[in-house]
């Protein structure tokens, strides 16, 4: 079955489409000039691409054919009176030469993730927020239980700001969802978004709760795999408790001397239940270990990890960003990731070997795969 | 009527239009009229609090008008504004 990738880059979206064997790929480039931060496809087959321009702000484009894109007339937005997080404003408003942010507004400056579930499309934003559209983008509603979380005034941003970057859902239980926020925690709702509880018991929290990315198999949604700032973890109980799962991963030293496996991207192939991560050399360097680009694979729920580097370059000094690795859920599973220096790699044998699909793209911020 | 030149990156929002027409006695009023006529474009001009996005600039009579000056910058019928962005880097 052919696959299309929406590759979100700093200057537009590369649309890569394969033949039925996923060996030969054609490419197109859309949304030129717009940083493309996330994409999703809804249950009706409509594609959504989030953009965020430093000057002109965030928005969402939609397409029914991956060729013609039209911007929605609405976008996720906070209520005008919402008070913002002062630390996030300090980060996001670093160039605030006009003093516009003195009254600490809460503004959506980027859409970090899009997630289709239960007839809706959800958007996770920075400043951290959760929004949903149930009419294919005609309107966006805030998920108030999350956006007005009672502990929100204690939330703290990571170095990239206070962002809601990960959304997961339970296909059988529309009342349960998870949202990851850097660096304030991994939140779960069991009542359809009215209340959210932070779920990081067992995760090292010495520098806040800096969840980087989380994945799971929707068919077995309570088993979660988590790449944190301070290590790799698994939960078998929907996030209530976590255990470290780093056997076989390359360790690294963080700024404060803590040793763990650092990275951002994590993805799961549902057919094989294999999990994939892209370790980086600590939070200072954020480069592949020893210049060898490698994806680590676990076939046993994270108990053990093995490097997979066939087809991947040595002398490589670019990383894999949080949203830049994904899977196509075909059989055998296709795994795809993009680097910060603009190369896309694909595996059609569940991560055992890799081929270069595209290169010379701008910095890759997001990759999503869609079987077509 | 005021003519507003649209930068290339925003032409994906305006259906390819390079120039739009709007009415208003100040730069801000012109932008408000643009947002009414073109809601998708309006998202890029104004934030949640109806503030003009902080890094937008426009050129009016060879003067670079910053976001904070737009409400007080008067424009005359028939004039042109060049909508731009304070881009830097490669």
């Amino acid at each position: 079955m052919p696959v299309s990738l929406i590759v979100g880059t700093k200057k537009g979206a590369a649309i890569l489409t394969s033949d039925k064997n996923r060996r030969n790929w054609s490419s197109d480039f859309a949304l030129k000039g717009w940083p493309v931060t996330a994409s999703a496809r809804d249950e009706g087959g409509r594609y959504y691409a989030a953009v965020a321009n430093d000057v002109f702000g965030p928005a969402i484009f939609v397409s029914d054919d991956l060729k013609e894109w039209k911007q929605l007339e609405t976008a996720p937005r906070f209520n005008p009176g919402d008070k913002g997080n002062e630390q996030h404003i300090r980060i996001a408003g670093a160039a605030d030469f006009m003093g516009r942010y003195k009254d600490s507004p809460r503004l959506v400056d980027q859409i970090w993730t899009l997630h289709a579930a239960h007839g809706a499309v959800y958007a996770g934003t920075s400043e951290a927020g959760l929004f949903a559209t149930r009419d294919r983008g005609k309107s966006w509603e805030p998920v108030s239980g999350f956006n007005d979380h009672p502990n929100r005034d204690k939330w703290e941003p990571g170095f990239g700001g206070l962002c809601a970057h990960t959304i997961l859902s339970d296909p059988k239980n529309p009342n349960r969802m998870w949202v990851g926020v850097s660096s304030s925690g991994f939140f779960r709702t069991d009542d359809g978004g009215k209340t959210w509880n932070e779920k990081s018991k067992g995760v090292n929290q010495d520098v806040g709760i800096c969840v980087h990315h989380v994945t799971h198999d929707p068919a077995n949604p309570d088993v979660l795999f988590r790449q944190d700032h301070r290590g790799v973890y698994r939960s078998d109980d929907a996030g209530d408790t976590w255990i470290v799962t780093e056997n076989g991963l390359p360790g690294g030293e963080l700024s404060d001397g803590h040793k763990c496996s650092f990275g951002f991207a994590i993805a799961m192939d549902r057919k094989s239940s294999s999990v994939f991560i892209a370790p980086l050399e600590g939070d200072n360097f954020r480069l592949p270990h020893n210049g060898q680009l490698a994806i680590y694979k676990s076939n046993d729920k994270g108990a053990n990890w093995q490097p997979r580097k066939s087809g991947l370059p040595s002398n490589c000094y670019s990383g894999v960003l949080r949203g830049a690795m994904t899977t196509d859920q075909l059989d055998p599973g296709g795994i795809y990731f993009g680097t910060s220096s603009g190369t896309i790699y694909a595996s059609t044998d569940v991560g055992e070997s890799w081929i270069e699909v595209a290169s010379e793209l701008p910095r890759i911020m997001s990759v999503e795969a869609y079987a077509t | 009527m005021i003519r507003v030149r649209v930068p290339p990156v925003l032409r994906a929002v305006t259906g390819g239009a390079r120039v739009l027409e709007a009415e208003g006695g100040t730069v801000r009023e012109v932008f408000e009229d643009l947002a009414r006529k073109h809601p998708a474009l309006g998202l890029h001009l104004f934030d949640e609090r109806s503030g003009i996005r902080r890094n937008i600039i426009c050129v009016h009579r060879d003067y670079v008008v910053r976001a904070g000056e737009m409400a007080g910058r008067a424009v005359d019928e028939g004039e042109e504004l060049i909508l731009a962005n304070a881009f830097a880097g490669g």
Side-chain angles (χ1 to χ4, degrees), chain A residues 11 32-34 53-59 61 71-78 80-83 92-93 95-98 100-101 103-108, chain B residues 7-13 38-57 66-69 83-87 89-90:
Chain A
K11 295 186 178 181
K32 190 167 65 175
W34 291 95
N53 181 294
D54 289 344
V55 176
F56 296 116
F61 284 78
Q71 190 198 300
L72 297 174
E73 294 187 348
T74 63
R77 292 193 142 197
F78 290 112
D82 290 344
K83 185 177 185 309
D96 186 23
F97 50 83
M98 299 301 291
R100 294 280 315 286
Y101 288 173
D103 60 344
S104 302
R106 189 189 303 173
L107 307 174
V108 173
Chain B
V9 71
L10 284 180
R11 292 175 198 162
V13 185
H38 308 280
L41 178 61
L43 292 176
H44 298 294
L45 301 178
F46 294 96
D47 64 27
E48 283 95 322
R49 293 191 171 187
S50 301
I52 294 175
R53 293 192 179 279
R54 61 193 171 88
N55 285 337
I56 287 179
I57 59 175
R66 301 282 182 179
E69 304 170 305
L83 177 58
N85 42 297
F87 260 134

XYZ file of all heavy atoms in Angstrom, chain A residues 11 32-34 53-59 61 71-78 80-83 92-93 95-98 100-101 103-108, chain B residues 7-13 38-57 66-69 83-87 89-90:
592
model
N 10.603 25.542 6.759
C 10.205 26.433 5.671
C 9.170 25.807 4.752
O 9.145 26.108 3.555
C 11.432 26.861 4.863
C 12.415 27.711 5.671
C 13.551 28.235 4.820
C 14.472 29.106 5.677
N 15.603 29.664 4.887
N 5.018 26.706 1.280
C 6.356 27.310 1.221
C 6.436 28.546 2.109
O 5.600 29.438 2.033
C 6.684 27.665 -0.227
C 8.119 28.068 -0.447
C 8.467 28.101 -1.925
C 7.707 29.168 -2.664
N 8.144 29.283 -4.080
N 7.457 28.575 2.919
C 7.684 29.720 3.791
C 7.123 29.578 5.192
O 7.477 30.352 6.074
N 6.274 28.569 5.386
C 5.646 28.394 6.696
C 6.344 27.281 7.466
O 6.418 26.155 6.977
C 4.170 28.032 6.549
C 3.327 29.131 6.019
C 2.965 29.328 4.719
C 2.743 30.200 6.765
N 2.195 30.459 4.615
C 2.041 31.018 5.855
C 2.747 30.548 8.112
C 1.352 32.159 6.250
C 2.058 31.679 8.509
C 1.375 32.472 7.590
N 4.412 30.790 12.165
C 5.388 31.756 11.704
C 5.728 32.704 12.853
O 4.833 33.160 13.570
C 4.762 32.514 10.516
C 5.665 33.542 9.916
O 5.994 34.525 10.567
N 6.051 33.347 8.664
N 7.007 32.997 13.029
C 7.420 33.846 14.151
C 6.744 35.215 14.112
O 6.555 35.850 15.146
C 8.937 34.050 14.135
C 9.673 32.788 14.515
O 9.039 31.873 15.069
O 10.885 32.717 14.245
N 6.426 35.681 12.937
C 5.820 37.004 12.798
C 4.305 36.905 12.727
O 3.586 37.608 13.452
C 6.353 37.706 11.534
C 5.654 39.050 11.328
C 7.857 37.883 11.625
N 3.803 36.026 11.885
C 2.370 35.986 11.589
C 1.618 34.928 12.389
O 0.430 34.704 12.130
C 2.155 35.795 10.095
C 2.680 36.948 9.272
C 3.722 36.772 8.379
C 2.150 38.219 9.421
C 4.208 37.836 7.641
C 2.632 39.294 8.694
C 3.670 39.107 7.799
N 2.273 34.286 13.320
C 1.578 33.425 14.260
C 1.167 32.077 13.695
O 1.500 31.724 12.565
N 0.429 31.308 14.509
C 0.033 29.966 14.110
C -1.292 29.935 13.351
O -2.126 30.840 13.472
C -0.114 29.251 15.456
C -0.555 30.332 16.390
C 0.072 31.621 15.906
N -1.475 28.863 12.594
C -2.727 28.632 11.876
C -2.726 27.177 11.437
O -1.745 26.452 11.638
C -2.853 29.556 10.674
N -3.763 24.680 8.077
C -4.205 24.473 6.700
C -4.809 23.078 6.583
O -4.394 22.157 7.306
C -3.020 24.581 5.735
C -2.549 25.994 5.478
C -1.760 26.673 6.396
C -2.904 26.651 4.306
C -1.328 27.970 6.152
C -2.472 27.947 4.052
C -1.685 28.613 4.976
N -6.194 27.517 4.129
C -6.101 27.808 5.560
C -7.482 27.917 6.179
O -8.394 28.542 5.611
C -5.333 29.105 5.806
C -5.019 29.289 7.293
C -4.671 30.705 7.660
O -3.709 31.241 7.133
N -5.445 31.301 8.549
N -7.638 27.315 7.346
C -8.877 27.487 8.096
C -9.031 28.935 8.544
O -8.053 29.626 8.814
C -8.873 26.580 9.333
C -8.823 25.073 9.076
C -8.686 24.328 10.406
C -10.065 24.613 8.325
N -10.266 29.366 8.660
C -10.523 30.736 9.114
C -10.545 30.850 10.630
O -10.707 31.948 11.173
C -11.839 31.239 8.516
C -11.761 31.388 6.998
C -12.993 32.037 6.419
O -14.002 32.166 7.140
O -12.948 32.410 5.235
N -10.438 29.718 11.298
C -10.345 29.728 12.760
C -9.109 28.942 13.167
O -8.554 28.177 12.375
C -11.577 29.091 13.412
O -11.637 27.717 13.013
C -12.849 29.806 12.995
N -8.707 29.127 14.412
C -7.540 28.419 14.929
C -7.680 28.317 16.445
O -8.467 29.051 17.053
C -6.259 29.168 14.556
N -6.934 27.408 17.061
C -6.940 27.368 18.524
C -6.476 28.707 19.098
O -5.434 29.231 18.697
C -5.931 26.257 18.843
C -5.889 25.411 17.613
C -6.091 26.366 16.471
N -7.277 29.243 19.996
C -6.932 30.522 20.626
C -7.441 30.529 22.055
O -8.540 30.039 22.332
C -7.563 31.696 19.872
C -6.976 31.906 18.485
C -7.405 33.239 17.916
N -6.296 33.831 17.167
C -6.200 35.095 16.820
N -7.140 35.944 17.170
N -5.164 35.536 16.146
N -6.669 31.104 22.936
C -7.122 31.256 24.309
C -8.153 32.373 24.396
O -8.289 33.192 23.473
C -5.943 31.565 25.236
C -5.014 30.396 25.436
C -3.723 30.418 24.925
C -5.429 29.265 26.131
C -2.862 29.344 25.106
C -4.579 28.180 26.309
C -3.295 28.222 25.799
N -9.470 35.920 25.527
C -8.674 37.155 25.618
C -8.232 37.511 27.028
O -7.181 38.105 27.225
C -9.629 38.216 25.056
C -10.539 37.464 24.154
C -10.724 36.117 24.789
N -8.991 37.134 28.040
C -8.640 37.524 29.398
C -7.750 36.539 30.131
O -7.367 36.792 31.283
N -7.409 35.429 29.502
C -6.616 34.413 30.203
C -5.231 34.949 30.544
O -4.546 35.518 29.692
C -6.479 33.158 29.332
C -7.788 32.404 29.198
O -8.706 32.670 29.995
O -7.882 31.556 28.285
N -4.827 34.719 31.786
C -3.504 35.175 32.204
C -2.452 34.150 31.807
O -2.625 32.960 32.011
C -3.473 35.401 33.710
C -2.148 35.982 34.192
C -2.157 36.259 35.680
C -0.867 36.964 36.109
N 0.340 36.293 35.655
N 8.998 33.146 25.081
C 8.375 33.392 23.772
C 8.529 34.838 23.341
O 8.568 35.138 22.152
C 6.889 33.036 23.842
N 8.623 35.736 24.309
C 8.691 37.161 23.979
C 10.080 37.722 24.102
O 10.253 38.902 24.421
N 12.041 38.719 22.014
C 12.263 39.879 21.141
C 11.115 40.881 21.282
O 10.711 41.534 20.331
C 12.386 39.423 19.686
N 10.617 40.997 22.488
C 9.441 41.839 22.718
C 9.848 43.302 22.857
O 9.672 43.925 23.890
C 8.729 41.348 23.983
C 7.412 42.085 24.219
O 6.854 42.622 23.249
O 6.976 42.119 25.376
N 10.348 43.838 21.777
C 10.913 45.187 21.864
C 9.847 46.261 22.016
O 10.144 47.384 22.355
C 11.793 45.495 20.652
C 11.152 45.192 19.335
C 10.298 46.089 18.748
C 11.426 43.996 18.686
C 9.711 45.812 17.527
C 10.840 43.715 17.466
C 9.982 44.621 16.880
N 8.602 45.916 21.752
C 7.556 46.924 21.906
C 6.883 46.835 23.285
O 5.941 47.569 23.564
C 6.490 46.766 20.817
C 7.010 46.938 19.401
S 7.759 48.546 19.111
C 6.319 49.601 19.203
N 4.934 44.571 24.461
C 3.544 44.170 24.331
C 3.121 43.160 25.388
O 1.936 42.962 25.619
C 3.304 43.570 22.949
C 3.459 44.548 21.805
C 2.200 45.401 21.655
N 1.013 44.565 21.733
C 0.604 43.754 20.776
N 1.268 43.677 19.657
N -0.483 43.026 20.931
N 4.078 42.484 25.995
C 3.728 41.378 26.870
C 3.752 41.764 28.340
O 3.757 40.923 29.212
C 4.680 40.204 26.628
C 4.449 39.498 25.318
C 5.311 38.506 24.885
C 3.359 39.811 24.504
C 5.103 37.842 23.692
C 3.150 39.160 23.315
C 4.022 38.182 22.904
O 3.818 37.526 21.730
N 1.506 42.844 30.237
C 0.349 42.420 31.009
C 0.156 40.907 30.975
O -0.908 40.404 31.312
C -0.914 43.125 30.501
C -1.185 42.808 29.038
O -0.262 42.312 28.362
O -2.306 43.050 28.582
N 1.204 40.179 30.575
C 1.229 38.716 30.655
C 0.042 38.044 29.983
O -0.701 37.287 30.605
C 1.291 38.271 32.123
O 2.423 38.802 32.745
N -0.186 38.279 28.707
C -1.294 37.580 28.046
C -0.965 36.105 27.820
O 0.198 35.736 27.700
C -1.401 38.304 26.700
C -0.009 38.777 26.423
C 0.578 39.131 27.775
N -2.006 35.279 27.778
C -1.829 33.870 27.408
C -2.173 33.750 25.931
O -3.341 33.919 25.539
C -2.719 32.972 28.247
C -2.410 31.479 28.058
C -3.439 30.584 28.714
N -3.593 30.833 30.138
C -4.527 30.263 30.889
N -5.372 29.401 30.355
N -4.631 30.557 32.172
N -1.178 33.473 25.128
C -1.355 33.450 23.677
C -0.900 32.106 23.113
O 0.053 31.512 23.617
C -0.532 34.563 23.012
C -0.746 35.992 23.536
C 0.247 36.942 22.887
C -2.176 36.452 23.284
N -1.571 31.652 22.072
C -1.086 30.479 21.332
C -0.015 30.968 20.362
O -0.301 31.761 19.460
C -2.225 29.792 20.559
C -1.666 28.682 19.667
C -3.253 29.220 21.524
N 2.810 40.269 1.640
C 4.096 39.589 1.436
C 3.884 38.175 0.894
O 2.826 37.573 1.097
C 4.708 39.564 2.835
C 3.548 39.637 3.759
C 2.506 40.474 3.058
N 4.882 37.638 0.210
C 4.702 36.330 -0.453
C 4.203 35.230 0.465
O 3.351 34.429 0.056
C 6.105 36.020 -0.983
C 6.700 37.373 -1.242
C 6.181 38.249 -0.134
N 4.696 35.181 1.696
C 4.305 34.051 2.552
C 2.810 34.089 2.868
O 2.184 33.041 3.065
C 5.158 34.033 3.841
C 4.782 35.177 4.779
C 5.045 32.697 4.551
N 2.216 35.250 2.864
C 0.791 35.349 3.193
C -0.109 35.157 1.964
O -1.332 35.111 2.109
C 0.486 36.705 3.842
C 0.928 36.860 5.303
C 0.577 38.246 5.822
C 0.280 35.796 6.175
N 0.474 35.045 0.808
C -0.375 34.859 -0.376
C -1.026 33.478 -0.392
O -2.016 33.267 -1.090
C 0.440 35.118 -1.637
C 0.820 36.585 -1.759
C 1.730 36.870 -2.935
N 2.385 38.163 -2.752
C 3.472 38.556 -3.402
N 4.047 37.748 -4.285
N 4.011 39.735 -3.164
N -0.469 32.532 0.379
C -1.147 31.243 0.537
C -2.460 31.410 1.286
O -3.336 30.556 1.221
C -0.244 30.267 1.296
N -2.589 32.512 1.980
C -3.790 32.776 2.769
C -4.786 33.629 1.986
O -5.995 33.562 2.211
C -3.404 33.499 4.087
C -4.611 33.683 4.981
C -2.307 32.741 4.806
N -11.234 39.217 5.371
C -10.433 37.994 5.142
C -10.096 37.377 6.505
O -8.990 37.585 7.029
C -9.152 38.332 4.376
C -9.368 39.120 3.123
N -9.770 38.544 1.942
C -9.274 40.452 2.886
C -9.897 39.469 1.015
N -9.602 40.652 1.554
N -11.036 36.631 7.085
C -10.809 36.105 8.449
C -9.539 35.267 8.582
O -8.880 35.319 9.630
C -12.059 35.269 8.703
C -13.097 35.836 7.789
C -12.368 36.301 6.567
N -9.215 34.492 7.562
C -7.992 33.680 7.676
C -6.766 34.585 7.788
O -5.836 34.306 8.558
C -7.868 32.755 6.462
N -6.754 35.664 7.050
C -5.645 36.619 7.152
C -5.657 37.304 8.513
O -4.594 37.579 9.098
C -5.754 37.661 6.033
C -4.691 38.758 6.017
C -3.292 38.169 5.853
C -4.991 39.769 4.909
N -6.841 37.551 9.025
C -6.955 38.209 10.324
C -6.239 37.460 11.437
O -5.694 38.077 12.362
N -6.224 36.106 11.334
C -5.515 35.332 12.359
C -4.044 35.706 12.421
O -3.407 35.602 13.469
C -5.638 33.834 12.054
C -7.011 33.193 12.180
C -6.941 31.739 11.737
C -7.526 33.288 13.610
N -3.510 36.136 11.293
C -2.072 36.433 11.236
C -1.761 37.880 11.598
O -0.606 38.228 11.801
C -1.538 36.119 9.843
C -1.679 34.676 9.490
N -1.003 33.680 10.135
C -2.478 34.054 8.577
C -1.345 32.510 9.633
N -2.242 32.707 8.690
N -2.775 38.704 11.628
C -2.557 40.115 11.954
C -2.775 40.395 13.431
O -2.073 41.229 14.019
C -3.498 40.994 11.118
C -3.371 40.866 9.600
C -4.400 41.762 8.909
C -1.963 41.234 9.147
N -3.754 39.702 14.025
C -4.146 40.007 15.412
C -4.027 38.766 16.288
O -4.363 37.660 15.861
C -5.599 40.497 15.458
C -5.796 41.821 14.776
C -6.232 41.873 13.454
C -5.543 43.006 15.443
C -6.413 43.090 12.813
C -5.725 44.229 14.811
C -6.154 44.273 13.497
N -3.611 38.979 17.542
C -3.575 37.880 18.499
C -4.906 37.800 19.247
O -5.870 38.513 18.932
C -2.374 38.012 19.444
C -2.433 39.261 20.323
O -3.545 39.754 20.613
O -1.365 39.747 20.739
N -4.935 36.924 20.258
C -6.175 36.671 21.002
C -6.755 37.940 21.620
O -7.952 38.051 21.839
C -5.932 35.655 22.122
C -5.831 34.215 21.657
C -4.403 33.775 21.438
O -3.582 34.584 20.944
O -4.101 32.599 21.750
N -5.889 38.871 21.983
C -6.354 40.089 22.651
C -6.551 41.239 21.675
O -6.540 42.408 22.058
C -5.359 40.483 23.727
C -5.324 39.477 24.861
C -4.538 39.995 26.031
N -4.700 39.117 27.176
C -4.226 39.383 28.393
N -3.551 40.479 28.618
N -4.426 38.543 29.375
N -6.680 40.876 20.399
C -6.872 41.882 19.349
C -5.693 42.837 19.243
O -5.832 43.960 18.741
C -8.169 42.681 19.578
O -9.274 41.811 19.589
N -4.551 42.386 19.742
C -3.329 43.160 19.528
C -2.696 42.787 18.198
O -2.739 41.614 17.803
N -2.144 43.763 17.515
C -1.420 43.438 16.283
C -0.173 42.651 16.650
O 0.535 42.989 17.594
C -1.059 44.727 15.517
C -2.345 45.406 15.023
C -0.131 44.420 14.336
C -2.120 46.742 14.371
N 0.057 41.559 15.962
C 1.188 40.689 16.297
C 2.472 41.514 16.340
O 2.743 42.323 15.466
C 1.295 39.543 15.297
C 0.133 38.581 15.400
C 0.364 37.310 14.629
N -0.774 36.412 14.772
C -0.982 35.619 15.834
N -0.119 35.611 16.821
N -2.038 34.843 15.898
N 3.282 41.213 17.337
C 4.311 42.156 17.763
C 5.425 42.361 16.750
O 6.073 43.401 16.760
C 4.907 41.707 19.087
C 5.561 40.346 19.018
C 5.862 39.796 20.386
N 6.283 38.425 20.305
C 7.539 38.048 20.128
N 8.493 38.946 20.060
N 7.841 36.772 20.037
N 5.666 41.375 15.873
C 6.772 41.527 14.929
C 6.322 41.931 13.529
O 7.116 41.929 12.587
C 7.600 40.241 14.852
C 8.485 40.083 16.077
O 8.807 41.072 16.747
N 8.859 38.862 16.385
N 5.043 42.273 13.392
C 4.578 42.777 12.105
C 5.036 44.224 11.950
O 4.995 45.016 12.891
C 3.039 42.692 12.022
C 2.606 41.235 11.853
C 2.507 43.542 10.872
C 1.105 41.045 11.784
N 5.449 44.553 10.759
C 5.737 45.946 10.438
C 5.017 46.271 9.138
O 4.567 45.372 8.409
C 7.247 46.212 10.270
C 7.835 45.334 9.157
C 7.984 45.977 11.585
C 9.283 45.615 8.849
N 6.019 50.266 13.291
C 6.039 49.093 14.174
C 4.627 48.830 14.707
O 3.765 49.731 14.702
C 6.996 49.331 15.337
C 8.427 49.607 14.908
C 9.127 48.323 14.523
N 10.522 48.564 14.146
C 11.360 47.606 13.784
N 10.951 46.358 13.729
N 12.594 47.884 13.453
N 4.442 47.616 15.202
C 3.099 47.211 15.647
C 2.520 48.190 16.666
O 1.339 48.560 16.597
C 3.144 45.799 16.223
N 3.347 48.624 17.576
C 2.848 49.505 18.636
C 2.478 50.902 18.159
O 1.856 51.670 18.901
N 2.842 51.244 16.948
C 2.557 52.580 16.415
C 1.343 52.596 15.496
O 0.916 53.666 15.057
C 3.763 53.093 15.617
C 5.066 53.112 16.398
C 6.266 53.402 15.502
O 6.450 52.665 14.504
O 7.006 54.343 15.796
N 2.738 45.548 3.790
C 2.751 44.660 4.968
C 4.014 43.800 4.905
O 4.308 43.216 3.852
C 1.493 43.800 4.950
C 1.331 42.747 6.050
C 1.364 43.370 7.423
C 0.027 41.988 5.831
N 4.725 43.761 6.000
C 6.000 43.028 5.978
C 6.238 42.403 7.342
O 5.421 42.494 8.256
C 7.147 43.953 5.588
N 7.368 41.778 7.453
C 7.708 41.089 8.679
C 9.156 41.311 8.991
O 10.005 41.374 8.087
C 7.393 39.604 8.555
C 7.798 39.026 7.231
O 7.261 39.439 6.205
N 8.731 38.113 7.228
N 9.447 41.405 10.263
C 10.813 41.698 10.684
C 11.648 40.431 10.624
O 12.111 39.914 11.632
C 10.788 42.291 12.089
N 11.852 39.893 9.424
C 12.607 38.668 9.248
C 14.101 38.901 9.412
O 14.611 39.966 9.090
C 12.387 38.104 7.842
C 11.383 36.987 7.816
C 10.393 36.960 6.867
C 11.452 35.961 8.730
C 9.459 35.942 6.832
C 10.535 34.928 8.707
C 9.548 34.923 7.747
N 17.939 36.369 9.415
C 18.509 35.022 9.317
C 18.385 34.427 7.941
O 17.810 35.030 7.035
N 18.942 33.221 7.766
C 18.978 32.623 6.428
C 18.179 31.358 6.354
O 17.391 31.068 7.205
